[in-house]
Amino acid sequence: MSVEPDEIQSANRQIARAAGTVMAAFILSNLIGLIRGILILRGFGTGAEMEAFNTANRLAETLFNLVAGGALASAFVPTFTGFLAKKETAHAWHLASAIANLVLIILTIVSALSAVFAPQIVQYLLAPGFVDEPAKFNLTVQLLRVILPSVVIFGLSGLMMGILNANQVFLYPALAPSMYSIGIIFGVLVLSPGMGIFGLAWGTVLGAALHLLVQVPSLIRLKATYKPILGLEDPAVREVGKLMLPRLVGAGIVQLNFWVNTNLASRQPEGSLTAITTAFTLMMMPQALIAQAIAIASLPTFSAQVALGRLDEMRSSLASTLRAVLLLSMPSSIGLILLREPIIRLLYQGGRFGDRSTELVAWALLWYAAGLVGHCVVEIISRAFYALHDTKTPVIVGVFAMSLNIGFSLLFTTMFQHAGLMPHGGLALANSLATGIEMAILLVIMRKRLNGLQGLFILDAVWKGAAACAAMTIILVIWLGWSASKSVWLVTLVGLLLGVGIYGVILIILKTKEVGIVWKAITRRLLHRAA
């Protein structure tokens, strides 16, 4: 089926507009998240209390991601969007009601069992290294039980995000992470002075509630209908379950890697666990702005294209999306690697976060940042598979890649120790290498699935981005050498401005298509406002 150029451009503009909305909200979320991280780390540092909290929070994050995070969204959104595209609204809300009830029941049961068996989970699965430190072990168990209610709340909130995104409503779901951070900030500033680390835990629960509540008005405006049903006999509900099962396996393997990292880091010098957690969070900030924003915006469009049989249009949209992601993620990776230490000092150093903490986090960020491009591309290409109602392929590839990650983690930590290097860096390197392999395999398979990916079009962006990154690297290395004794504010801010400026100028010189599109969009909006 041939597709008119206007239809392709319309779909691409739809993705771009939605991605712009999500990205703007994500910028706000990241800024608030930065404030949250600064307050937490300056208040608690990288010591025993923070190690206990990060370990306890790992289980809650795992349950959320397994049942109601990416696994549910990847299975629910394509099916729900298919009904909307075919104007079968009543069936769409019937499906949403059934999935919401199932999520509520499943997560409540799992959370209750996790609370009962919390000591065993910490001792045998999460942090066996804490057993020799009874105070830290008991604190981890107590914090885990406080945080667990957030899993149920996040489950319903995650489903709500999928419903709103499928209806092309992106702003308030994208603002939800900001509300989560605000809840945690309240916990740190208001609750922690009297409750210590438990104030942070209760702030996490409050943040989850705010994450849900900020989306409710948008859902009401959609005139959503709810029914107290399970719908197990509904083919659509079974389709979501069928699509979700392999994604659950894949998400489980990903989470297993985090558990392995937590397990190994609990046996390493104190601060290692908090260091990899903080560094990974820093790496995920640009990943959220770049890949998650675009992925969230593109999945409903990809799904609608597939539902209407427009695979040629989807191929073009996917190629354009990958170009944009590559052009944004490549300089972000280089910038994080080169500016990692001044960024960490500027953001976190102070209070109980000293030079040693900066050294630990910067070492992990070096190796995590090397995998940023892989993380971003995997986020996009996986959404393309989900839109095709294929959750098996990304899962199979993910299981293979993340199995490698576990092996790499054991190998690299040992190698780093023998080389006299901090071993937690090996955990970050393992993640980056495994993700890069996953990216390469998924791209090859998708290219075959769609009979091409407009490879030359994508490679054009790669070489132009690489040339701009090379120029940016030279300038930043010179700047860092010259400014070594200057204020950390000056080093960081000027470094960021130089990096963005040089990269942008080179892309303009190379006549990169996306620069022209952005410029036209800006001028069009300015002229519209002036009129």
Side-chain angles (χ1 to χ4, degrees):
M1 178 180 178
S2 62
V3 181
E4 296 298 325
D6 287 346
E7 292 176 326
I8 295 175
Q9 292 178 8
S10 176
N12 291 345
R13 283 195 297 269
Q14 184 180 45
I15 294 174
R17 284 194 301 268
T21 299
V22 177
M23 194 172 292
F26 273 19
I27 290 173
L28 176 62
S29 295
N30 276 324
L31 288 174
I32 297 176
L34 272 178
I35 295 171
R36 177 193 73 192
I38 292 168
L39 293 172
I40 291 173
L41 289 173
R42 291 190 178 187
F44 297 99
T46 54
E49 287 184 330
M50 202 63 225
E51 302 260 274
F53 174 82
N54 285 327
T55 302
N57 203 36
R58 173 59 57 207
L59 177 60
E61 290 180 354
T62 296
L63 292 175
F64 168 65
N65 285 308
L66 281 179
V67 181
L72 178 59
S74 61
F76 172 77
V77 171
T79 306
F80 187 77
T81 303
F83 286 131
L84 295 179
K86 298 172 185 176
K87 309 300 182 182
E88 299 177 12
T89 307
H91 205 165
W93 291 119
H94 184 277
L95 172 65
S97 297
I99 298 300
N101 294 329
L102 289 170
V103 165
L104 178 62
I105 292 171
I106 292 171
L107 286 182
T108 299
I109 293 173
V110 173
S111 297
L113 290 174
S114 298
V116 172
F117 295 103
Q120 291 77 16
I121 291 172
V122 174
Q123 180 175 354
Y124 297 109
L125 298 176
L126 274 174
F130 289 1
V131 175
D132 296 331
E133 302 176 69
K136 186 190 288 189
F137 176 85
N138 292 331
L139 179 60
T140 304
V141 171
Q142 294 171 33
L143 290 171
L144 173 58
R145 287 171 170 160
V146 171
I147 293 171
L148 276 171
S150 66
V151 175
V152 180
I153 302 171
F154 266 135
L156 295 174
S157 185
L159 176 64
M160 198 177 296
M161 293 177 81
I163 292 172
L164 294 176
N165 290 339
N167 282 278
Q168 297 293 323
V169 177
F170 295 100
L171 178 59
Y172 288 100
L175 288 174
S178 297
M179 304 307 295
Y180 174 60
S181 292
I182 288 172
I184 294 177
I185 290 172
F186 180 85
V188 174
L189 295 179
V190 179
L191 303 180
S192 289
M195 303 174 67
I197 194 69
F198 286 96
L200 177 57
W202 282 112
T204 301
V205 178
L206 173 61
L210 295 175
H211 190 282
L212 172 69
L213 293 173
V214 74
Q215 300 178 78
V216 171
S218 295
L219 191 66
I220 294 174
R221 282 193 292 271
L222 289 176
K223 298 181 180 178
T225 57
Y226 168 78
K227 297 180 180 180
I229 57 172
L230 296 180
L232 297 178
E233 74 290 345
D234 188 337
V237 175
R238 294 180 180 181
E239 173 73 3
V240 172
K242 180 182 176 182
L243 292 172
M244 187 175 175
L245 184 59
R247 182 70 176 111
L248 272 175
V249 175
I253 294 296
V254 172
Q255 293 302 313
L256 179 60
N257 279 274
F258 288 123
W259 282 51
V260 169
N261 284 356
T262 301
N263 189 307
L264 293 175
S266 75
R267 307 167 191 262
Q268 294 172 5
E270 185 169 278
S272 298
L273 197 157
T274 300
I276 61 171
T277 302
T278 304
F280 188 77
T281 300
L282 275 173
M283 186 272 292
M284 291 299 287
M285 286 183 180
Q287 193 265 2
L289 288 174
I290 298 166
Q292 289 184 27
I294 296 175
I296 289 170
S298 64
L299 179 57
T301 300
F302 289 162
S303 299
Q305 289 168 339
V306 171
L308 298 174
R310 299 174 178 174
L311 293 185
D312 289 344
E313 184 178 337
M314 179 188 169
R315 183 192 305 116
S316 178
S317 296
L318 177 58
S320 297
T321 302
L322 288 173
R323 272 182 61 101
V325 166
L326 287 167
L327 286 170
L328 291 170
S329 62
M330 291 168 65
S332 299
S333 175
I334 298 298
L336 273 181
I337 289 172
L338 295 175
L339 297 172
R340 65 189 186 281
E341 187 170 327
I343 287 174
I344 293 167
R345 289 189 184 279
L346 176 62
L347 293 177
Y348 301 125
Q349 191 154 325
R352 294 172 64 180
F353 194 98
D355 289 335
R356 175 60 177 170
S357 295
T358 295
E359 182 183 8
L360 287 167
V361 176
W363 179 242
L365 183 57
L366 166 65
W367 303 105
Y368 274 132
L372 177 58
V373 174
H375 279 282
C376 290
V377 173
V378 166
E379 191 78 26
I380 300 300
I381 203 71
S382 295
R383 292 304 202 286
F385 279 103
Y386 303 153
L388 292 167
H389 288 226
D390 177 8
T391 54
K392 291 182 180 179
T393 299
V395 166
I396 293 171
V397 175
V399 167
F400 171 71
M402 294 302 103
S403 297
L404 285 179
N405 191 359
I406 294 174
F408 288 156
S409 294
L410 297 170
L411 174 64
F412 294 153
T413 52
T414 301
M415 290 175 59
F416 276 40
Q417 284 178 320
H418 287 167
L421 302 173
M422 290 183 285
H424 68 283
L427 299 175
L429 174 58
N431 179 275
S432 294
L433 180 57
T435 303
I437 293 172
E438 181 181 10
M439 173 192 72
I441 296 174
L442 287 175
L443 285 172
V444 170
I445 296 174
M446 182 55 72
R447 181 175 179 273
K448 293 181 179 179
R449 185 71 57 84
L450 293 178
N451 295 318
L453 269 181
Q454 300 185 3
L456 294 178
F457 182 54
I458 295 173
L459 286 175
D460 173 73
V462 172
W463 83 260
K464 289 178 179 178
C469 282
M472 183 183 80
T473 299
I474 293 171
I475 297 300
L476 284 181
V477 168
I478 293 172
W479 166 250
L480 290 171
W482 181 82
S483 64
S485 60
K486 306 295 182 181
S487 162
V488 67
W489 281 90
L490 182 68
V491 174
T492 306
L493 297 182
V494 173
L496 289 172
L497 290 174
L498 281 173
V500 171
I502 294 298
Y503 186 78
V505 167
I506 299 300
L507 289 186
I508 292 172
I509 292 173
L510 294 176
K511 298 180 179 179
T512 308
K513 174 185 174 183
E514 284 71 14
V515 176
I517 292 174
V518 171
W519 177 251
K520 287 180 181 178
I522 293 173
T523 54
R524 189 186 306 117
R525 177 157 300 188
L526 291 175
L527 290 173
H528 177 73
R529 288 182 177 179

